[in-house]
Amino acid sequence: MTTFEHVTLPQRVLFGTGRAAQNLAAEVDRLGARAVMVIAGPTEQPIAQTVTERITVALRYDDVAPHVPIAKAEKARAAAKEHGIDLLVCIGGGSTTGLAKAIALTTGLPIVAVPTTYAGSEATNVWGLTEDSRKSTGVDDRVLPVTVVYDADLTSSLPADLSVASGLNALAHSIDSMWAPRADPINQALAAEAIRTLNAGLPAVKADPDDTAGREDCLYGAYLSAVAFASAGSGMHHKICHVLGGAYNLPHAQTHAVVLPYVLAFLAPAAPAAEARIAAAFGTAHALDGLNTLRARLDAPTALADHGLTEDNIPEAVALILPFIPDTTPRQVTPGNLEVLLRAAWAGTPPSSEGFLS
């Protein structure tokens, strides 16, 4: 018998290439906002100016940083209060969305998210804050954007290497959703479609950054991945990456891109049904073969050593990660096998389809 409990989060999605400014203006009008705070990092300001050309902006805010340091969150909350803000509009990637969520967490202000990457944070009710080199995450419906405005044109300025890392971050959402604490058949169906779509879209964008259809596939796949992840919860992969990012200030998307094949190789033998669904979505006999083939086509990041983790950090990282590994993880995680996994990811040792851990 099949028994599960599934929660679908309430959110409006407006998807249309070249329609971001039009759709954003319509949402601001629909929500009756009178004092809009637009959050966009310095590099995203040109895009933000274009997207917001049809609305009145009370405050433009650009003090954005990865992993949302608590001091920056508190500064942004104070700015929103000072200007009497009644709507947050975030334009950018996961860091920008994360700052908007930090404000919404304590103020309850609604968010309209306009993504420029494939981060997926815009479709979840998960927040993250970093304090004293430790990243905390939580779930709260107040941080779920009320509307997401997707426009593939806004991803065209994303460099190819960041497109790859961001897309693999999205792929990590879908693969983790196959065995996360609240995984269910609906999550797995969404995740499988996300894998299939990202597997087609990412190589197209890598080959031609101007391929609109490929970028639309990536946005669609990233959204499906995030919806599955929001319902299924955070699995082993995300717990590892959140700790590494917060403790060692590693870049978010690249960390996910590197760690993903190692976690897949570790868990796949213990979850054959989920592994088969992932493999089918890739169109390969084995899930890891499909992921490795895609990563090779994308020239994906391969080693945590390239992104700031030192070998000396690994024993501490093991101790920090272990308490956060979900009890529902298909395979027992021990200090020994977790250290082997992290050392392999640090060095970039290729995991095999037979599994690189005993």
Side-chain angles (χ1 to χ4, degrees):
M1 295 177 62
T2 299
T3 303
F4 63 88
E5 178 180 337
H6 179 84
V7 176
T8 299
L9 298 177
Q11 186 179 67
R12 182 178 174 89
V13 175
L14 301 176
F15 198 110
T17 300
R19 298 175 61 86
Q22 175 184 338
N23 284 336
L24 175 60
E27 280 305 285
V28 171
D29 183 63
R30 185 181 73 87
L31 295 168
R34 298 181 180 276
V36 178
M37 179 178 180
V38 174
I39 304 169
T43 60
E44 290 143 345
Q45 286 301 316
I47 292 175
Q49 290 288 341
T50 300
V51 171
T52 60
E53 63 187 6
R54 301 188 188 191
I55 67 172
T56 299
V57 178
L59 174 63
R60 293 188 183 273
Y61 197 87
D62 67 359
D63 192 4
V64 176
H67 306 299
V68 195
I70 187 67
K72 291 191 180 293
E74 290 173 348
K75 180 183 173 184
R77 290 163 177 167
K81 182 177 179 181
E82 178 184 352
H83 288 80
I85 298 303
D86 61 4
L87 177 65
L88 305 170
V89 173
C90 54
I91 303 171
S95 298
T96 305
T97 307
L99 183 60
K101 287 183 171 185
I103 300 170
L105 182 64
T106 57
T107 65
L109 289 172
I111 303 170
V112 174
V114 187
T116 62
T117 72
Y118 311 125
S121 176
E122 68 279 357
T124 79
N125 57 356
V126 178
W127 57 266
L129 291 167
T130 302
E131 183 174 16
D132 297 330
S133 298
R134 298 294 180 263
K135 186 168 185 177
S136 300
T137 61
V139 175
D140 194 306
D141 287 347
R142 288 177 296 179
V143 308
L144 177 73
V146 296
T147 305
V148 184
V149 174
Y150 286 113
D151 183 340
D153 280 350
L154 304 186
T155 67
S156 62
S157 62
L158 195 64
D161 60 335
L162 289 181
S163 293
V164 166
S166 184
L168 289 172
N169 180 19
L171 194 67
H173 286 130
S174 52
I175 290 178
D176 218 19
S177 297
M178 291 289 187
W179 37 53
R182 298 186 303 277
D184 65 42
I186 298 174
N187 300 328
Q188 291 175 330
L190 293 172
E193 172 65 2
I195 294 168
R196 185 194 66 77
T197 307
L198 289 165
N199 191 46
L202 285 170
V205 172
K206 173 72 172 179
D208 180 8
D210 294 326
D211 186 331
T212 298
R215 285 188 278 111
E216 287 183 340
D217 278 348
C218 290
L219 276 179
Y220 170 61
Y223 170 73
L224 291 179
S225 293
V227 171
F229 174 75
S231 178
S234 184
M236 177 182 176
H237 170 86
H238 279 79
K239 297 304 185 183
I240 292 173
C241 292
H242 286 165
V243 170
L244 293 178
Y248 308 107
N249 198 32
L250 305 190
H252 183 80
Q254 290 86 345
T255 301
H256 281 276
V258 171
V259 171
L260 182 59
Y262 298 96
V263 176
L264 178 58
F266 179 74
L267 293 181
E275 192 274 343
R277 294 196 73 158
I278 297 168
F282 277 121
T284 54
H286 300 285
L288 187 61
D289 291 345
L291 178 59
N292 283 342
T293 298
L294 175 63
R295 285 172 48 81
R297 293 178 69 185
L298 299 177
D299 191 23
T302 56
L304 291 176
D306 296 334
H307 300 286
L309 189 73
T310 70
E311 191 171 13
D312 291 342
N313 294 145
I314 293 175
E316 179 190 48
V318 170
L320 292 174
I321 291 167
L322 272 175
F324 294 99
I325 299 296
D327 293 339
T328 54
T329 301
R331 182 175 179 180
Q332 183 179 10
V333 182
T334 67
N337 59 33
L338 180 56
E339 182 167 342
V340 172
L341 186 155
L342 289 180
R343 288 191 181 279
W346 172 79
T349 306
S352 70
S353 58
E354 290 76 23
F356 66 96
L357 297 175
S358 59

